[in-house]
Amino acid sequence: MPQENDQQHYPHRKEKHEARRDFLKQSSAMMALALTPPLVIKAAQHDEAIAGIFEKMPVSMEINGKKIEVSVEPRVTLLDLLREQLNLTGTKKGCDHGQCGACTVHVNGHRINSCLTLAVMQEGKKITTIEGLANGEQLHPVQEAFIKHDGFQCGYCTPGQIMSAVACIREGHAGSPEEIREFMSGNICRCGAYDNIVHAITEVKQGGKTV
Ligand code: FES
Ligand code: FES
């Protein structure tokens, strides 16, 4: 009889055990559901934000007189757009941190460090790079003066120096060697061609040619 009882009761105890286990499982799941939504939402928002960084956006601008329309990720700098997407590699990447001036281009006539501005911020703007300075085969007067005065050695800083020099003269900041040095101080030359750069700029300024 006890065996019978046991047999009779065993399934019952087992059922109870299973029911209890199921209940615990369910309540844990419910607890998890109740607790995780904010985390899940946060994670989803985070993923969305990350995805937004990589989602390309259309942007149109004029580069060296040509209208272009491109799709770029919002995190892409103007410098990287020029070099990596448009193959305009004349603009150099030195520090990529706004400290050397190698990436200088003109935006709506003003010189800027293209490593410090996003491509998507250039909507509708006019960009000039070193490739757009010459008039066909005819070099720009500042380009000619740099060659004449040996304003470079390795040449890596030269596109940025020339873009800055043109702006320096246009801005009216090339009145003396001291002023030129001051207003060209954002452009670093590791080779130390500074004296010759100043001579080149001075000659163009004094020559009175339109730059
Ligand atoms: S690369 Fe932009 S300032 Fe150096
Ligand atoms: S010419 Fe070499 S860095 Fe200026």
Side-chain angles (χ1 to χ4, degrees):
M1 283 299 279
Q3 256 187 358
E4 228 180 80
N5 272 347
D6 274 357
Q7 273 172 356
Q8 275 173 356
H9 283 106
Y10 182 68
H12 179 63
R13 282 211 313 269
K14 189 180 169 195
E15 274 166 16
K16 260 173 80 174
H17 177 70
E18 281 176 351
R20 186 162 174 269
R21 197 179 58 200
D22 287 349
F23 170 77
L24 284 174
K25 261 179 157 175
Q26 275 175 14
S27 42
S28 309
M30 282 171 70
M31 177 90 83
L33 272 174
L35 287 177
T36 50
L39 292 175
V40 170
I41 289 165
K42 217 171 173 187
Q45 283 171 342
H46 178 70
D47 285 355
E48 222 170 90
I50 298 278
I53 293 171
F54 294 101
E55 197 172 318
K56 290 191 173 182
M57 293 173 69
V59 58
S60 57
M61 61 188 89
E62 193 179 301
I63 298 185
N64 299 332
K66 278 190 199 153
K67 285 204 185 323
I68 61 142
E69 285 182 15
V70 283
S71 286
V72 285
E73 292 172 8
R75 68 196 173 112
V76 170
T77 62
L78 175 58
L79 174 61
D80 284 340
L81 170 70
L82 293 171
R83 291 182 56 83
E84 310 299 333
Q85 234 171 300
L86 302 176
N87 214 21
L88 291 168
T89 53
T91 305
K92 301 302 181 202
K93 183 184 279 192
C95 63
D96 210 15
H97 282 85
Q99 296 184 357
C100 73
C103 64
T104 305
V105 299
H106 297 172
V107 175
N108 287 350
H110 300 287
R111 52 177 157 167
I112 63 154
N113 290 331
S114 58
C115 68
L116 288 186
T117 189
L118 296 172
V120 290
M121 292 164 66
Q122 312 311 316
E123 176 65 40
K125 296 191 180 162
K126 290 185 179 182
I127 320 283
T128 307
T129 70
I130 190 72
E131 289 91 344
L133 217 51
N135 183 9
E137 294 294 302
Q138 178 62 49
L139 291 179
H140 186 278
V142 174
Q143 290 175 309
E144 285 179 335
F146 264 63
I147 293 169
K148 181 177 167 191
H149 289 276
D150 249 347
F152 51 87
Q153 287 179 39
C154 77
Y156 198 80
C157 72
T158 312
Q161 297 279 7
I162 290 175
M163 296 310 289
S164 226
V166 171
C168 182
I169 297 169
R170 284 181 185 163
E171 291 160 8
H173 291 137
S176 66
E178 293 72 31
E179 194 182 23
I180 292 169
R181 285 181 191 278
E182 173 67 23
F183 283 88
M184 289 295 292
S185 60
N187 290 76
I188 309 295
C189 175
R190 280 175 213 140
C191 300
Y194 296 116
D195 280 346
N196 295 351
I197 291 170
V198 171
H199 292 153
I201 297 172
T202 302
E203 182 178 278
V204 177
K205 165 71 181 164
Q206 289 178 352
K209 278 191 187 168
T210 307
V211 296

